[in-house]
Amino acid sequence: MPDAPTTTGSPDSGLGDDRIRALDAHWRAANYLAAGQIYLLANPLLTEPLRPDHIKPRLLGHWGTSPGLNLVHTHLNRVIKDRDLDAICVWGPGHGGPAVLAGSWLDGSYSEIYPDVSRDAAGMARLFRQFSFPGGVPSHVAPETPGSIHEGGELGYSLAHAYGAALDNPGLLVACVIGDGEAETGPLAGSWHANKFLDPVHDGAVLPILHLNGYKIANPTVLARLPRPELDELLRGYGHEPIHVTGDEPLAVHRAMAYALDKALDRIALLQRTARDERTARDERTARQEGTAERPRWPVIVLRTPKGWTGPEAVDGLPVEGTWRAHQVPLPGVRENPEHLRQLERWLRSYRPEELFDADGRPRPPLLADVPAGDRRLGANPHANGGRLLRSLPLPALERYAVPVDKPGATLHEPTRVLGGLLARVMEDTAARRDFRVVGPDETASNRLEGLFRATGKAWQEAVLPTDEHLSRSGRVMEILSEHLCQGWLEGYLLTGRHGLFSCYEAFVHIVDSMVNQHIKWLKVSRSLPWRRPVASLNYLLTSHVWRQDHNGFSHQDPGFVDHVLNKSPEVVRVYLPPDTNTLLSVADHVLRTRDYVNVVVAGKQPCFDWLDLDQARAHCARGAGTWDWAGTENGAGEPDVVLAGAGDVPTQEVVAAAGILRRHLPDVAVRVVNVVDMTRLLPKEEHPHGMSDHEFDALFTRDRPVIFAYHGYPWLVHRLSYRRAVHPHLHVRGYKEMGTTTTPFDMVVRNDLDRFRLVMDVIDRTPGLAARAVAVRQRMQDARTRHHAWIREHGTDMPEVAEWSWTG
C-alpha cells in the first residue's frame, strides 16, 4: 500500500525515536507470536533451521487481520500506561485470535491464568502448539482469551458490545476494532447509531477503530473502496469525527497511530470533562429542553494498513500481502513444499526474534516498556471478566407486588403491567449504583412496562420536542427499533458485570437468533473456565405473544424462539411460561438472581385470570410442573382417566375451561389438570439439570393414560422433549400450527385447534370407553365451534359465553 501515513492534522506524535522503536519491537514480537501460532509445532525461537517436522500438520488460523490488531494492541498499551486509563478492547475481527493471544502472552496475563503457558521458551512452545490444535484453543477470540468479552465466531456485533460495556461505566474507555468485512453487516451498520444513546456524564467512552485492510475472504470490502471524502461524509453523518492513519512503512505508521490515539483520547477527555462540569451540564439540560443542545461528536480512527502486512509479499508468483490471499494461511503446504518452508523461515526471521526474546525465550525488557501493569493490562482488566465486579440486585419483596387471589380465576390482571412495578422498584434501588438496564425495540410501553418510567427515563442524546415523553440523557431504559442493537448492548452490559432484561415482541425476537447462539456458546465455555467469574443471566421477557397478536395478524405470530433456544446447551438455557401474574413475579424474581444462563420468559400483557396466590405461585414455580387439584376431578380415586396439561397463559385458560366443561357434562370422568411452568422439566434428568426422572414424570403424567397437552408454541416441541417417556404413545399435543390471521382472540385458538371445545373433543376421542357414551357432549362441542365461526363474522367479537367466561369450579 503506497500511501504515506496520514492523520487529520500533523502526524507528529511527539514521541522520541527510542519510544517508537520500543513500540515497533513490541509489534514485531506480537506479529512473530501470531505467525508462530499458525505454523509452528516446535522450534519456537528458530534456534535451528526450520524442518518439516517443526510445522503443524494442519495449518489453521487467520493471518490477514493479525498485524493490524497487533498494532492497535501495542498502541493501546502505551496510552493506557501513559494516561493510567481503565480500558478494554472489543476485537471485532474475531478470527484474529492469534493476535489477541499474542498480546496477552506478552503482557503476562495469559501466563497468570494458564501457568503452563509460561512467558519463556517452553511457554511459547505451548502457546504455539495449542492454537487451533486438538485440546487447545480456538482460532478466534473466545472466552478462553484473556481480556475478551466478544465471541469472534460471527461478525457484526462488536460495536454494540462495546457500547453495552461503556454504559454506566463512566471511567471506562472501550476501544473497538471493526474489521471492514464486519462493517458490511446489518447489525454493525445499525450500531453506528449507538452514540445517540451514550451519556457522556454517566457512561464511559467508545473509541471505534475502523480497520480497513481492503479485503474479506475473497473479495474487496465496500468501505475500503469508498473515496476518502465519501467515507468521511458517511462517518460524520453517523456523528463521528474521523482521524485517519494510512500506510505500510512501520515506523511512520507507528508515529501516525500514536498521534491519532492521543488526539482521539484528548478529544474524549474534553467531551467528558465538559459534560461532567456541573454548570455546563445545567446549561446543557436547559438547552436540551429547548431542543437546541448538541450531543458530543466522538472521534473514530480509520486505520488503513495492508491485509497480511509484513507477511509474504507473493507466493508461487501470486501477490499475497495487501490482497485477499493473506486472509487465512498465506503459505500453505509448508511441510510438503521446500520453497514454502524456506519462505516461511525468511518471513519469521524478518521479525528478528533474537532481538525480541532472550535465550530463555523471555521478552526483552525494552519491548515491554509500554505495557501497563496489573489490572490495567488489556488481558487482565476486570471489566473483561465481569463476574469480578458483579453485585447482587436489590430485589424487593414480592409481597409488595403480588395480586390477591381469594379463589382461582375470580380476578384478572395484566401480568407484565404488575411486573413493571417491580422492575421500577429495582430501577429506583439501583439509581446510585447504576447497574441495571431494560432494553427493547420501542416496545416498553406497548408491553405494559411503562411503570419503569416512574423510576427512570429512556436514554436519548438528541433534541427533545414538547410532544416527547420520558426521554432523558441519563435514562436507563434503552429503546431503539433494532433487536440486534438491543441484544448487543445487553450482552456487553452483562459481560462487564451488570444486570438487565430484554423485553421484546415474541415474533420478532427471532431477529437475534444468531446473536443468542453466540452468547449461549460463550456462557457454555465460560462455565468450564475457573477463572471466568459468573455473570448475570441474559433474561428475555417475550410478550405481545402469538395468542394475543390477533390485531396485528399473521406476521406477528411466531412462538418458535423457545424451540430455537431449547436446541442449545442444556446447562445454559432455561424456558419459563408462567400462566398468571403471581407466577410471572416468582419467575422474574428467580431469573434476575441467576448467573450464567439464558432465561426465556414468555408472558402475556393482556388481562389474564389469576389462578394462584403468591405462596402457591412460588411453590408451583419451584416444582416447575404440577397438578392443579382444584381444577381436576380425580378426587383421590387413584390414577385419572385422562390428563389435561397446559403450558402458557392462554393454553392454561383453555385447559381450565375444558376441565370445567368436563366437570359439568361428564362428572364421572376423572380428569387430572397439570400445568407446566418450566419447559425443561419435560426433559429427562440425564439431558437437562431441570429434567424429571422417569419416576417423577410417570407420577405426574401417568404411564398409559391419554394426555391432552395444550402448549403455547409449536406442538412438536413437546413431543421432542418427551419422546422417551412411557406415556409418549398416548400424548396428544395441541399448539400453534401456523393458522394465523387478523381475527378475534378466541378465534386464534379455534383456528389452531387449541380451544376448550376441541380439547374436550380430544378427551372424548382418546379416553377409552368414553366416545360411545359421550356422543351428545362431543356434538355440543362441535356445535359451539360452528356457532363461534358464525358469531365472529357477524359481530366481530367473541361469543359472550367465551368473552364473559370465568372459572366457577
Side-chain angles (χ1 to χ4, degrees), residues 163-164 167 194 197-198 203 427 437-444 453 456-460 475-480 485-486 489-490 501-503:
Y163 276 97
L167 296 173
F197 299 84
L198 192 77
D203 300 333
M427 277 289 184
R437 293 215 176 204
V438 173
V439 303
D442 192 31
E443 295 161 358
T444 304
F453 301 135
T456 187
K458 293 180 281 190
W460 185 252
R476 287 187 288 141
V477 173
M478 310 285 290
E479 289 196 324
I480 187 172
L485 194 45
C486 291
W489 280 340
L490 187 54
L501 179 76
F502 184 174
S503 169

Side-chain angles (χ1 to χ4, degrees), residues 81-293:
K81 184 172 183 179
D82 282 357
R83 297 169 181 251
D84 191 28
L85 293 177
D86 193 7
I88 63 173
C89 187
V90 176
W91 306 97
H95 282 297
V100 186
L101 292 170
S104 63
W105 188 84
L106 285 171
D107 71 22
S109 58
Y110 200 88
S111 300
E112 290 172 9
I113 292 171
Y114 304 107
D116 60 320
V117 188
S118 49
R119 202 159 47 155
D120 55 21
M124 188 188 299
R126 292 189 183 93
L127 180 75
F128 290 177
R129 181 184 182 88
Q130 71 178 12
F131 179 79
S132 288
F133 203 80
V137 298
S139 67
H140 48 78
V141 178
E144 294 93 337
T145 310
S148 63
I149 66 163
H150 179 77
E151 173 64 58
E154 184 173 1
L155 302 178
Y157 316 139
S158 60
L159 194 54
H161 285 158
Y163 276 97
L167 296 173
D168 295 326
N169 262 330
L172 186 67
L173 171 72
V174 187
C176 179
V177 186
I178 304 161
D180 45 358
E182 179 180 30
E184 297 177 3
T185 65
L188 197 288
S191 295
W192 290 110
H193 292 302
N195 57 10
K196 285 79 171 176
F197 299 84
L198 192 77
D199 176 12
V201 176
H202 296 98
D203 300 333
V206 174
L207 176 58
I209 302 172
L210 179 59
H211 185 208
L212 303 179
N213 60 30
Y215 295 90
K216 305 184 286 283
I217 295 174
N219 288 286
T221 55
V222 173
L223 294 188
R225 292 290 174 91
L226 290 183
R228 176 167 160 177
E230 185 178 347
L231 178 62
D232 281 1
E233 289 175 358
L234 177 67
L235 294 173
R236 289 194 174 99
Y238 281 136
H240 285 285
E241 289 296 335
I243 305 171
H244 288 264
V245 177
T246 304
D248 66 350
E249 197 288 305
L251 295 182
V253 173
H254 283 306
R255 293 186 184 279
M257 187 64 179
Y259 172 83
L261 267 178
D262 283 334
K263 182 179 177 68
L265 295 175
D266 287 345
R267 172 69 175 166
I268 288 169
L270 176 63
L271 291 172
Q272 291 180 330
R273 191 165 56 247
T274 302
R276 293 171 188 181
D277 177 80
E278 265 192 58
R279 180 180 54 79
T280 304
R282 191 163 53 248
D283 293 344
E284 286 195 3
R285 280 196 296 273
T286 301
R288 194 165 296 280
Q289 290 170 358
E290 297 170 354
T292 58

Side-chain angles (χ1 to χ4, degrees), residues 591-609:
V591 300
L592 289 171
R593 297 178 191 274
T594 62
R595 303 287 184 267
D596 281 349
Y597 295 148
V598 169
N599 295 306
V600 180
V601 182
V602 185
K605 68 180 185 182
Q606 302 293 345
C608 171
F609 283 106

Side-chain angles (χ1 to χ4, degrees), residues 369-386:
D370 284 303
V371 173
D375 284 352
R376 286 294 192 246
R377 294 169 295 172
L378 286 173
N381 192 295
H383 290 93
N385 187 4

Side-chain angles (χ1 to χ4, degrees), residues 105 179 189 269 304 381 434 469 639 681:
W105 188 84
R304 291 181 186 264
N381 192 295
R434 295 183 67 92
E469 291 185 339
E639 287 207 329
R681 290 288 282 156

Side-chain angles (χ1 to χ4, degrees), residues 274-596:
T274 302
R276 293 171 188 181
D277 177 80
E278 265 192 58
R279 180 180 54 79
T280 304
R282 191 163 53 248
D283 293 344
E284 286 195 3
R285 280 196 296 273
T286 301
R288 194 165 296 280
Q289 290 170 358
E290 297 170 354
T292 58
E294 294 185 1
R295 59 176 166 77
R297 298 184 64 83
W298 302 96
V300 57
I301 293 176
V302 181
L303 174 63
R304 291 181 186 264
T305 58
K307 195 174 185 81
W309 190 19
T310 71
E313 293 185 4
V315 176
D316 297 334
L318 296 173
V320 173
E321 183 187 30
T323 78
W324 54 269
R325 294 186 181 90
H327 180 74
Q328 288 180 287
V329 180
L331 281 166
V334 179
R335 277 191 165 208
E336 299 79 22
N337 188 320
E339 177 52 36
H340 283 194
L341 183 64
R342 286 190 289 271
Q343 198 170 358
L344 173 62
E345 183 162 6
R346 288 195 299 272
W347 170 19
L348 293 176
R349 291 193 185 279
S350 73
Y351 297 119
R352 306 189 296 281
E354 67 281 357
E355 297 178 8
L356 307 174
F357 308 101
D358 65 20
D360 295 322
R362 296 183 177 88
R364 295 187 184 276
L367 72 86
L368 300 179
D370 284 303
V371 173
D375 284 352
R376 286 294 192 246
R377 294 169 295 172
L378 286 173
N381 192 295
H383 290 93
N385 187 4
R388 291 176 58 187
L389 305 174
L390 185 66
R391 293 177 289 176
S392 296
L393 274 179
L395 292 171
L398 294 186
E399 286 77 5
R400 300 178 56 180
Y401 303 95
V403 300
V405 180
D406 295 328
K407 61 178 182 177
T411 56
L412 299 97
H413 284 87
E414 297 167 307
T416 57
R417 190 182 300 279
V418 177
L419 176 64
L422 182 146
L423 296 177
R425 183 55 188 261
V426 176
M427 277 289 184
E428 291 171 358
D429 291 346
T430 56
R433 46 191 264 187
R434 295 183 67 92
D435 61 351
F436 177 69
R437 293 215 176 204
V438 173
V439 303
D442 192 31
E443 295 161 358
T444 304
S446 174
N447 289 337
R448 309 290 197 266
L449 299 176
E450 64 267 37
L452 281 162
F453 301 135
R454 298 194 302 269
T456 187
K458 293 180 281 190
W460 185 252
Q461 298 299 313
E462 291 288 359
V464 176
L465 303 179
T467 52
D468 294 326
E469 291 185 339
H470 308 304
L471 300 183
S472 168
R473 292 179 63 201
S474 59
R476 287 187 288 141
V477 173
M478 310 285 290
E479 289 196 324
I480 187 172
L481 199 50
S482 165
E483 286 83 356
H484 287 129
L485 194 45
C486 291
Q487 175 87 13
W489 280 340
L490 187 54
E491 288 180 357
Y493 197 69
L494 299 174
L495 290 168
T496 48
R498 281 77 61 76
H499 303 261
L501 179 76
F502 184 174
S503 169
C504 188
Y505 278 21
E506 181 186 50
F508 302 128
V509 74
H510 277 292
I511 292 169
V512 301
D513 278 0
S514 290
M515 295 186 76
V516 72
N517 288 353
Q518 298 300 324
H519 191 72
I520 291 169
K521 293 175 190 296
W522 179 281
L523 293 177
K524 174 181 169 60
V525 175
S526 294
R527 292 165 69 95
S528 68
L529 301 172
W531 63 274
R532 282 275 181 195
R533 300 288 296 276
V535 297
S537 297
L538 171 56
N539 299 313
Y540 291 97
L541 174 65
L542 305 186
T543 186
S544 297
H545 60 55
V546 59
W547 302 111
R548 293 309 307 267
Q549 278 295 339
D550 42 89
H551 60 298
N552 279 320
F554 199 28
S555 65
H556 285 54
Q557 296 162 358
D558 189 327
F561 189 70
V562 167
D563 303 58
H564 177 72
V565 168
L566 285 177
N567 282 327
K568 308 305 173 187
S569 304
E571 63 267 41
V572 176
V573 298
R574 307 286 187 268
V575 173
Y576 301 98
L577 281 78
D580 71 352
T581 296
N582 286 333
T583 51
L584 174 59
L585 290 175
S586 179
V587 166
D589 179 77
H590 169 71
V591 300
L592 289 171
R593 297 178 191 274
T594 62
R595 303 287 184 267
D596 281 349

